[in-house]
């Protein structure tokens, strides 16, 4: 079974703090993704990576950055957290670039910024 | 840009009722379509997907979806829902990212509440 794990299920941070969200997958997948999920807005793509050290902006990259130094790990960074970044953050991974491949999701990190 | 519309924000059904959740997408070319489900407290998981061939796709737990190209639709159906189907359902379409890979564009989701 594919496993995507995220470092924390719940996180509470203060405005202005630097926040790191970590994601690890164990299936040697090339592609990894970060989404945020908000009620009534569905899932919105923040960043994705199709290879080590490669990254591409998604639909809402402002206020976020990412890092992928190793194939299995994809980190989302909030340089200076703000209250409007309070959300559920989902990491996902997918094997190759085949358009039919399934995307597998982690359990999510619920981040609250006070 | 691709977009996915899910017409119902919240659907409430009694057990044994039939279910149909609407999904429309905007892209006119070759598409791959997915339905994901998120049960309360659990992570998103794949329910079914359409890649090519038979437009009627069967998934897990008795769900099916029909791809109708002329209507740009991929509606999810189940003949008889159970309380355990209470969840949020997301329709998604593949979008070519231009970086040699594909990414999913999701609809806003439909919450299904099944009353025992």
């Amino acid at each position: 079974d594919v496993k995507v794990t995220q470092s924390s299920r719940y996180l509470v941070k203060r405005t202005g703090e630097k926040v790191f969200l970590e994601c690890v997958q164990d299936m040697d997948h090339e592609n990894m993704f970060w989404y945020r999920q908000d009620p009534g807005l569905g899932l919105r793509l923040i960043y994705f990576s199709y290879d080590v050290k490669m990254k591409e902006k998604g639909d809402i990259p402002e206020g976020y950055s990412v890092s992928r130094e190793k194939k299995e790990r994809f980190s989302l960074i909030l340089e200076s957290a703000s209250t409007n970044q309070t959300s559920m953050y989902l990491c996902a991974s997918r094997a190759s670039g085949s358009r039919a491949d399934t995307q597998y999701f982690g359990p999510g990190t619920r981040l609250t910024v006070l | 840009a691709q977009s996915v519309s899910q017409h119902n924000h919240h659907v409430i059904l009694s057990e044994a009722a039939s279910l149909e959740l609407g999904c429309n997408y905007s892209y006119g070319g070759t598409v791959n379509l997915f339905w994901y489900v998120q049960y309360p407290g659990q992570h998103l998981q794949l329910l079914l997907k359409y890649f090519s061939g038979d437009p009627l796709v069967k998934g897990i737990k008795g769900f099916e979806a029909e791809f109708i190209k002329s209507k740009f639709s991929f509606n999810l159906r189940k003949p008889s829902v159970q309380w355990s189907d209470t969840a949020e359902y997301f329709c998604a379409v593949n979008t070519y990212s231009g970086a040699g890979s594909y990414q999913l564009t999701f609809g806003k989701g439909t919450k299904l509440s099944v009353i025992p």
Side-chain angles (χ1 to χ4, degrees):
Chain A
D1 271 355
V2 174
K3 196 159 186 185
V4 180
T5 56
Q6 295 183 229
S7 50
S8 306
R9 289 301 300 271
Y10 300 93
L11 210 51
V12 179
K13 295 291 181 182
R14 297 210 172 270
T15 302
E17 279 193 80
K18 190 169 186 175
V19 182
F20 293 86
L21 302 182
E22 304 285 338
C23 175
V24 177
Q25 50 94 3
D26 66 357
M27 284 302 290
D28 203 36
H29 284 174
E30 285 83 4
N31 299 275
M32 296 187 75
F33 306 83
W34 275 107
Y35 296 87
R36 64 177 282 176
Q37 182 180 12
D38 299 288
L41 296 179
L43 278 75
R44 293 179 291 167
L45 183 65
I46 304 171
Y47 267 97
F48 67 99
S49 168
Y50 54 91
D51 202 350
V52 175
K53 297 192 185 294
M54 305 304 289
K55 60 185 179 185
E56 291 287 333
K57 291 180 181 179
D59 300 318
I60 51 163
E62 296 79 18
Y64 304 94
S65 62
V66 290
S67 172
R68 193 164 180 204
E69 297 295 319
K70 293 185 178 181
K71 192 174 187 179
E72 67 271 18
R73 188 180 297 270
F74 191 36
S75 302
L76 180 69
I77 303 154
L78 287 66
E79 293 289 342
S80 178
S82 64
T83 54
N84 63 12
Q85 292 178 311
T86 291
S87 186
M88 172 70 88
Y89 289 88
L90 299 180
C91 177
S93 74
R94 193 182 70 224
S96 68
S98 166
R99 50 196 177 95
D101 280 343
T102 298
Q103 201 159 292
Y104 296 90
F105 285 84
T109 295
R110 186 166 294 282
L111 172 67
T112 302
V113 183
L114 302 175
Chain B
Q2 278 271 23
S3 66
V4 178
S5 298
Q6 292 184 241
H7 314 299
N8 307 102
H9 179 61
H10 193 185
V11 173
I12 303 172
L13 294 173
S14 298
E15 272 192 320
S18 65
L19 169 72
E20 182 160 3
L21 301 183
C23 172
N24 286 92
Y25 60 93
S26 63
Y27 184 62
T30 302
V31 289
N32 301 115
L33 296 154
F34 303 76
W35 276 97
Y36 279 83
V37 61
Q38 188 174 36
Y39 297 103
Q42 296 188 27
H43 61 273
L44 268 161
Q45 55 187 285
L46 182 70
L47 203 52
L48 49 79
K49 65 182 177 183
Y50 171 77
F51 177 50
S52 65
D54 189 346
L56 186 61
V57 180
K58 294 195 184 299
I60 60 172
K61 304 189 180 185
F63 285 90
E64 64 179 31
E66 186 174 12
F67 170 53
I68 304 179
K69 190 175 181 179
S70 61
K71 294 185 178 180
F72 297 87
S73 72
F74 190 54
N75 292 354
L76 181 70
R77 301 194 293 243
K78 186 170 183 178
S80 175
V81 294
Q82 300 172 306
W83 177 79
S84 58
D85 294 324
T86 295
E88 191 159 16
Y89 294 81
F90 294 91
C91 182
V93 62
N94 248 343
T95 305
Y96 182 62
S97 70
S101 185
Y102 290 85
Q103 63 189 63
L104 290 178
T105 299
F106 284 86
K108 293 184 179 180
T110 297
K111 279 190 181 171
L112 171 66
S113 298
V114 180
I115 302 168

